Amino acid sequence: MSLAEITARIRDSEAEAGRAPGSVTLIAVSKVQPPERVEAVLAEGQRVFGENYVQEAGFKWPGWRQEYPGVQLHMIGPLQTNKVKVAVELFDVIHTLDRPSLAEKLARLAETRGSSPDLFIQVNTGEEAQKAGILPGQADDFIAACRMMGLPVVGLMCIPPEDEHPAPHFSMLAGIAERNGLTGLSMGMSSDFQTAIAHGATHVRVGSALFGSRAYQK
Ligand SMILES: *Cc1c(COP(=O)(O)O)cnc(C)c1O
């Protein structure tokens, strides 16, 4: 789908859900995509992008940031502790705050740098053993702990189990956010971003629907 088509679908879903036009941000997930596909979307005016790997983002984005002013880069992949220092320099927003040790590291870096990327806390709504994220039952305490550390937590993020209907997971995430006074909801990918918007998503992360299928899956 073209950028214009995806944007039109987002605007339609906002309207159907009775939400303000422009209340949903499209994050174009450019991981592993050939540079020419990303450049085409940059040339069409898209400025918000998501990447999964710190090293790959570090190779690709400094040049594009110079060429296309106003780029906002979102980290949406698991963040290893030894890459955090580089990540906070590279990304404007991190969606994968998923454990206490990472919160502590981000808080220390925020103190020394005097600033921090905005943060989404990843919640493992399906309680899947192989998936990162705070368990739903521990989310309230973790959100409170992050706030105590002074971290700029702006919302919650989830990746529903592949073999389940995503809607109950989106509702669960929205409920946790609401009772904790968080307004950001990073949920919805190529196959389910319209469902996510119906459930309150503020940020949808769309890769293959926009850029085409990824040549390989890391
Ligand atoms: C790769 C990825 C996406 C984009 O997935 P598509 O199905 O290609 O839209 C979204 N969110 C996360 C966390 C991802 O890793």
Side-chain angles (χ1 to χ4, degrees), residues 19 40 70 127 145 151:
R19 309 205 17 218
E127 308 199 20
L151 289 172

Side-chain angles (χ1 to χ4, degrees), residues 29 31 52 76 157 159 189-190 205-208 214:
V29 177
K31 65 165 175 243
N52 285 58
I76 63 168
M157 177 271 214
I159 308 169
M189 310 183 12
S190 288
R205 310 179 307 264
V206 179
S208 43
R214 289 178 286 276

Side-chain angles (χ1 to χ4, degrees), residues 55-98:
Q55 199 178 27
E56 182 187 343
F59 285 129
K60 285 156 64 174
W61 283 98
W64 280 332
R65 270 192 193 279
Q66 294 229 311
E67 203 172 334
Y68 301 93
V71 163
Q72 197 185 65
L73 206 53
H74 293 242
M75 173 60 174
I76 63 168
L79 188 49
Q80 291 168 255
T81 305
N82 64 356
K83 304 247 168 86
V84 183
K85 210 172 162 187
V86 179
V88 297
E89 300 294 338
L90 208 49
F91 292 97
D92 303 291
V93 186
I94 294 174
H95 290 239
T96 46
L97 170 49
D98 61 358

Side-chain angles (χ1 to χ4, degrees), residues 3 20 45 47 57 63 90 96 105 113 142 145 153 187 200 203 210:
L3 177 62
R47 288 294 177 271
L90 208 49
T96 46
K105 179 120 196 188
R113 298 171 72 239
F142 186 68
V153 177
M187 55 191 201
H203 293 71
L210 176 60

